[in-house]
Amino acid sequence: MFVSENLSINEKGHLTIGKIDTIELAKDFGTPLYVMDEALIKKTCKNFKDSIDRYYDGKGLVCYASKAFSCLYMCRLMSLEGMGLDVVSIGELYTAMKVGYDAEKIIFHGNNKTDEELEYAIESKVGRIAVDNIYELERLDRIARDKDISIGIMLRIKPGIDAHTHEFIRTGQIDSKFGFALETGEAFEAVTKAIECKNIELKGLHCHIGSQIFDVKPFELAASVMMDFIAKIKNELNYEIDELNLGGGFGIKYVENDKPSPLDTYMEVISKVIKTKCNELNIKQPFIIIEPGRSIAAPAGITLYTVGGIKDIPNIRTYVSVDGGMNDNPRYALYQSKYDVVVANKAGVDKTKKVTIAGKCCESGDLIGEDMEIQDVEVGDTIAVLATGAYNYSMSSNYNRIAKPAVVFVNENRAHVVVKRETLDDIIRNDIDV
Ligand code: LLP
């Protein structure tokens, strides 16, 4: 009935998440409010981990891409679930280290890591730094030599695959700011150089072909291209690559028409390709890493808003204004992303209206979505926007000096705040008034 399996309707006709009444949540914690379902997050993690056990004899690691949603509680949860972690900034790494994350399981990404970030990653003893470019490799080599230590790295490779997703979130093709290109020989040169660096340990190769991808074919193709490259490295440089990181990007259901592949099919197809290639090319089976972000966080989350005003413009459209908007969910403004919405206090009623949901920012493009199907919505209703667990809180802003909402986790009939709602004092915290 709903795009995410953890949502239902109770006897009052209210939307529930993880069996908890969303109207109660809105009353207790206020709106706008991010709500995340811990049980679903754990279930998805288990699903990914099981798929590695089933199809690849457990020889791999699922690293949650914390850019999708990060806070202390989420990092602790991922750590307790035995997950690895993909971090892409010193801030994400700091959050993980604050909960005592096993640094060996952390991969540090980024196309322009600062010296401060590299130093912190090294001090924290992160297991792998995903090196993006030659300047970074040289800098790391220098740091490692100065400190007389060895640094474990992966090289980020562009496998040149068009995963047919939204142009802004496509990162695997040659025209991308991320990684070393295969076609130009740049990737091979980087591998050669990395092997020569005495204090650098080249553990593996990494690629990430995009995000919100439904089809498993591009992943199959990426695995195949990467395996060919691993064979070339073995044959021409006599160096065996131990690890292959195929990134994240597994699509989820935002709206009814979205048809994502079941999550375990990714490991199923990837494993098949890798095993076949290993036999064909006579190379050893690499340790596999995957980095799902959206597929773990998005379906587990919803955002609750209160309707403050409705403007019916005859023959044009009906604007429904809510108490949040592009501050807490910039994805429509950025990518025209589609979402499903429900009037949480009328969840059992048919959707008979089409409305445009607008935020409260001083910006015409501040919309949650246009022409969205919804119940007969009235001022004072609570609206739930579904599948907002990824890239909403993590991309939120204080534009117009609007405070960020709280994040509440629900689990086994309990709801608790994991990120406090920002206050007006938070808004002026760093201001200096001289
Ligand atoms: N690994 C790497 C190296 C990545 O760059 C990303 C996402 C992931 C893993 C996780 O991908 P996921 O499984 O979440 O698709 N802000 C955009 C998404 C940007 C994704 C960037 N990289 C959005 O809101 O759709």
Side-chain angles (χ1 to χ4, degrees):
M1 182 180 14
F2 295 112
V3 285
S4 306
E5 63 179 65
N6 55 341
L7 305 174
S8 188
I9 303 171
N10 66 12
E11 61 298 339
K12 292 183 187 154
H14 295 173
L15 180 74
T16 63
I17 176 165
K19 303 204 182 71
I20 295 191
D21 190 324
T22 54
I23 301 307
E24 295 299 320
L25 290 171
K27 259 193 222 136
D28 292 348
F29 301 102
T31 59
L33 185 71
Y34 297 112
V35 186
M36 302 283 281
D37 179 359
E38 186 166 334
L40 185 57
I41 293 174
K42 285 182 181 161
K43 185 177 168 189
T44 313
C45 292
K46 183 169 180 328
N47 203 340
F48 274 121
K49 285 183 293 178
D50 286 352
S51 72
I52 293 197
D53 291 343
R54 189 170 325 124
Y55 298 110
Y56 206 67
D57 309 316
K59 288 183 212 128
L61 182 64
V62 188
C63 292
Y64 168 62
S66 68
K67 72 204 78 179
F69 173 82
S70 175
C71 64
L72 293 175
Y73 190 81
M74 186 65 172
C75 285
R76 190 177 297 286
L77 185 60
M78 291 300 104
S79 166
L80 290 172
E81 290 301 295
M83 302 280 286
L85 203 72
D86 151 357
V87 300
V88 74
S89 72
I90 193 168
E92 287 183 1
L93 178 55
Y94 184 75
T95 312
M97 294 317 292
K98 277 284 172 191
V99 301
Y101 219 97
D102 175 3
E104 173 52 36
K105 285 183 167 174
I106 297 180
I107 303 177
F108 192 57
H109 282 285
N111 67 303
N112 190 12
K113 305 174 190 79
T114 62
D115 284 348
E116 185 196 12
E117 289 182 310
L118 289 178
E119 294 274 354
Y120 183 59
I122 291 162
E123 272 164 33
S124 308
K125 300 197 167 53
V126 307
R128 301 154 187 86
I129 294 179
V131 174
D132 177 272
N133 56 69
I134 210 75
Y135 310 101
E136 189 184 325
L137 184 64
E138 285 165 1
R139 260 191 308 155
L140 264 186
D141 186 34
R142 216 173 32 241
I143 297 173
R145 247 184 297 129
D146 289 350
K147 290 187 189 291
D148 195 24
I149 52 166
S150 171
I151 299 176
I153 68 157
M154 310 197 94
L155 289 176
R156 179 159 182 167
I157 309 294
K158 291 187 246 195
I161 287 155
D162 176 353
H164 302 293
T165 178
H166 191 292
E167 198 177 3
F168 293 165
I169 48 179
R170 197 191 292 157
T171 50
Q173 79 284 39
I174 188 167
D175 183 7
S176 160
K177 70 172 182 171
F178 297 107
F180 297 95
L182 272 182
E183 298 92 318
T184 57
E186 183 190 29
F188 190 74
E189 256 173 59
V191 171
T192 313
K193 188 150 190 176
I195 295 170
E196 282 166 4
C197 296
K198 281 205 184 63
N199 296 59
I200 296 278
E201 185 199 348
L202 176 61
K203 290 187 171 176
L205 302 181
H206 168 272
C207 70
H208 171 78
I209 56 173
S211 202
Q212 185 58 358
I213 302 167
F214 292 145
D215 192 357
V216 293
K217 284 254 156 52
F219 292 99
E220 241 176 79
L221 192 56
S224 167
V225 168
M226 296 297 280
M227 290 305 287
D228 287 339
F229 189 46
I230 288 177
K232 180 179 159 80
I233 294 167
K234 184 184 172 195
N235 296 336
E236 296 180 26
L237 300 173
N238 194 26
Y239 189 88
E240 286 200 288
I241 296 286
D242 286 334
E243 299 180 350
L244 177 58
N245 181 340
L246 292 167
F250 318 127
I252 68 122
K253 193 175 184 120
Y254 280 108
V255 291
E256 214 37 59
N257 285 342
D258 290 340
K259 302 274 179 272
S261 306
L263 292 185
D264 63 346
T265 52
Y266 293 104
M267 269 318 290
E268 188 181 3
V269 299
I270 290 168
S271 301
K272 215 181 267 169
V273 173
I274 292 176
K275 285 178 182 167
T276 312
K277 281 279 176 184
C278 283
N279 283 336
E280 249 174 54
L281 302 166
N282 190 28
I283 44 180
K284 68 173 183 195
Q285 270 185 32
F287 184 81
I288 293 296
I289 296 173
I290 53 170
E291 299 173 327
R294 185 193 315 272
S295 46
I296 290 174
I302 60 172
T303 311
L304 298 175
Y305 301 104
T306 303
V307 176
I310 299 178
K311 282 186 189 149
D312 191 12
I313 308 174
N315 304 322
I316 300 188
R317 64 177 67 244
T318 301
Y319 282 100
V320 173
S321 291
V322 295
D323 51 357
M326 67 188 289
N327 288 102
D328 59 80
N329 183 357
R331 297 191 69 256
Y332 186 80
L334 281 171
Y335 321 116
Q336 294 78 53
S337 304
K338 293 213 174 345
Y339 284 97
D340 201 4
V341 287
V342 179
V343 176
N345 47 306
K346 299 173 185 160
V349 179
D350 284 346
K351 293 182 173 180
T352 52
K353 301 278 173 191
K354 236 182 207 177
V355 302
T356 290
I357 300 184
K360 61 186 270 107
C361 272
C362 194
E363 179 110 8
S364 304
D366 172 20
L367 304 174
I368 296 293
E370 289 176 278
D371 303 324
M372 303 174 95
E373 284 181 15
I374 195 167
Q375 289 84 357
D376 189 6
V377 56
E378 293 162 285
V379 169
D381 281 345
T382 304
I383 284 183
V385 180
L386 311 186
T388 57
Y391 305 112
N392 278 229
Y393 171 68
S394 65
M395 290 171 67
S396 61
S397 79
N398 290 116
Y399 181 46
N400 288 177
R401 298 230 133 187
I402 291 172
K404 291 183 189 176
V407 184
V408 162
F409 265 55
V410 297
N411 190 30
E412 290 168 9
N413 294 320
R414 185 172 96 95
H416 59 108
V417 175
V418 305
V419 182
K420 286 192 288 189
R421 185 177 299 284
E422 284 183 344
T423 62
L424 290 174
D425 281 329
D426 289 328
I427 294 291
I428 57 164
R429 167 153 300 147
N430 294 322
D431 296 4
I432 296 169
D433 177 26
V434 208

